[in-house]
Amino acid sequence: MNLFNIEEELDKLPHKPGVYIMHDENEAILYVGKAIDLHNRVRQYFRSGHGHNNSPKILKMVSQISYFEYIVTASEMEALVLECNLIKENRPKYNTLMTDDKGYPYIRITVSERFPRIMMNHRMGRDKSMYFGPFTDRKAVHDIVLLMKKLFKIRNCNKDLSFSPLDERPCLYHQIGQCNAPCAGYISEEDYRINIEKAINFLNGNTRDIINELKEKMKTYSKEMEFEKAAEARDLINSIDRISEKQRASSTSDEDRDIIAMARNDQDAVIAIFFVRDGTLIGRENHHMTSDSSDSDSEIITAFIKQYYLNTPFIPKEILTVTPAQDEEVITSYLSERKGQKVSILIPQRGEKKGLIKLAEDNAALVLAQDIERIKKHEKRTFGACQEIADIIGVENVSRMEAFDISNISGYHSVASMVVFENGKPKRNAYRKFRLKTVEGPDDYASMKEVLSRRYSDEKTGSLPDVIMMDGGKGQINIAETVLNSLGLEIPVCGMVKDDNHRTRGLIYKNKEIEFPAGSEAIHMITALQDETHRFAITYHKQIRSDEQTHSILDDIKGIGPKRRKTLLLHFKNIDAIKNASLDELASVDGMNAKSAQAVYEFFN
């Protein structure tokens, strides 16, 4: 970058909105910012006497700038979104960063299914299901889902019940009275839907009818001296009361709002955010922000708001803060556009809202005093470990790691797994399973070549990793590098090395073995990655073997899929009856046509 002349490039900056990116001599990103006028804003960094640019932090950052680049956008709002995405992706050294990026669970009801299910989902999908949330307390969501399944006898399985009843016995949940066994036809679709509607009403907060119904059952059971059932009804009432209590607060408003407050010292800031939905305080979160003593409270709060609300699934009507946010107009315009109605950022001065701010401030101060070391330790184990690996192998970033493993037993059903870690944590929705198509027998090298070729030649597989971790030595690394070269990809490849006791001890990179220093957080992360890769591959292999054991001879008939197989078994009851059936008898079965009936008849005759 020696050819980059900062003074000349400053003169070329356009008078347009956009995002600017500052780099050091090693091309690492130092800082990402947005501007309504790139020409005026970027020049300020290289001119003395411009407000916060005289702070030690900014002066140190500017002294390291080797070159900058910029991206012109159509509006300041577009620049805001791009700035937040680039900060989240690259985590620049001199930006104020939110270190603990969390997701928010939903409760999902698969209302489009014939016999719907209830489950916890980590995101809202684009499907025909009904979603409730987002919620901030994962444990509470887990408890609520379990309670509703038990209370309303909702099925706990993933079976395809499009053609129920199935020709099988009900599972254990029916035996213990927690499922009405729609799989076996023990409850009609209409009666099952009534239970689903009760669950929906429950999630909408209408618990009174359910509690009254349980109280009546408890009285009846007591009169009939069925004390175990009476105790069960009593326990369910208590569970509902506890869940309802968690959602009670002293707010008299039915508005949705978030309350944001802060506590800080010279190196750290803790943001406390409280969530009020329909006038009910439903939860809170604490977030650690990296900061500098020269950062103003307004800068830290603004950085938090921009990073937090960029991708959060729910945007409240009001955001209460302790200090004015910079770029307030463009931030509220963006949030209002996403929400579809006006969003306001307010600084309450008195009354109930001021009391909520005080509550959040007290909480942030408590966390800063008691929990900051725990938060920082978690950050060190995740983001810190990623940076440690990047430094060890000499690359800029290892935010996303992908690891592969082959599993087989004497070549039987060879399968492979791909596990993904992002920012030091498993990203399970990005995991992939591979069933080998071209390799026969226990040939791990050929198997790995097939898997890597399929993974990195498929444009639909999402983001590419910053580094690939192979569960093996130089042979596996060479296979990976050969595949990547053939595809024109440049991705660092490391081998995860174990010692004689089968414990992870280091990495192989560029034909050299790298051992981690004592007390390294990176070694713990690599160990977790390697163990998770093994676990995922072995679990998939067990699943394949289990599926094979339940294989039906009907699966070998061309044109007979799972639905027709179930239909035939329900109609004829067993394979022998199907074998002895005439062509007309086969064709008369619902869901069968002349072609499929002919295929079955010819197969057995």
Side-chain angles (χ1 to χ4, degrees), residues 34-72:
K34 75 161 186 65
I36 193 170
D37 186 314
L38 285 166
H39 185 89
N40 294 341
R41 183 69 189 95
V42 177
R43 291 174 66 89
Q44 289 179 0
Y45 285 94
F46 303 94
R47 303 288 183 266
S48 60
H50 285 279
H52 76 275
N53 291 344
N54 289 323
S55 74
K57 174 183 173 181
I58 297 299
L59 289 173
K60 185 176 180 180
M61 185 267 289
V62 171
S63 70
Q64 298 175 35
I65 295 174
S66 179
Y67 70 102
F68 59 79
E69 56 182 322
Y70 58 88
I71 303 170
V72 174

Side-chain angles (χ1 to χ4, degrees), residues 271-339:
I271 302 289
I273 176 167
F274 281 52
F275 307 96
V276 174
R277 303 291 179 261
D278 293 327
T280 298
L281 180 63
I282 67 166
R284 67 173 188 190
E285 287 180 358
N286 299 303
H287 294 267
H288 173 219
M289 303 285 290
T290 61
S291 66
D292 186 270
S293 58
S294 60
D295 293 330
S296 68
D297 290 354
S298 180
E299 287 175 318
I300 297 173
I301 289 291
T302 302
F304 174 79
I305 290 174
K306 290 197 292 187
Q307 293 174 52
Y308 183 82
Y309 289 104
L310 176 67
N311 293 313
T312 190
F314 182 84
I315 298 173
K317 187 175 181 180
E318 288 184 351
I319 299 173
L320 310 183
T321 69
V322 291
T323 186
Q326 300 171 356
D327 305 317
E328 181 178 329
E329 184 176 346
V330 68
I331 291 173
T332 53
S333 296
Y334 167 69
L335 295 179
S336 299
E337 184 177 291
R338 275 195 61 200
K339 185 173 180 64

Side-chain angles (χ1 to χ4, degrees), residues 246-259 275-283 314 316 318 352 356:
K246 288 181 180 179
Q247 300 195 21
R248 294 185 189 129
S250 58
S251 176
T252 57
S253 168
D254 61 355
E255 296 287 358
D256 294 332
R257 61 171 60 101
D258 289 354
I259 300 95
F275 307 96
V276 174
R277 303 291 179 261
D278 293 327
T280 298
L281 180 63
I282 67 166
F314 182 84
E318 288 184 351
E352 178 190 342
L356 288 171

Side-chain angles (χ1 to χ4, degrees), residues 503-518:
R503 295 176 300 193
T504 306
R505 73 163 186 259
L507 296 174
I508 295 177
Y509 182 59
K510 292 184 176 180
N511 292 319
K512 293 182 179 179
E513 183 170 329
I514 303 169
E515 291 194 7
F516 294 104

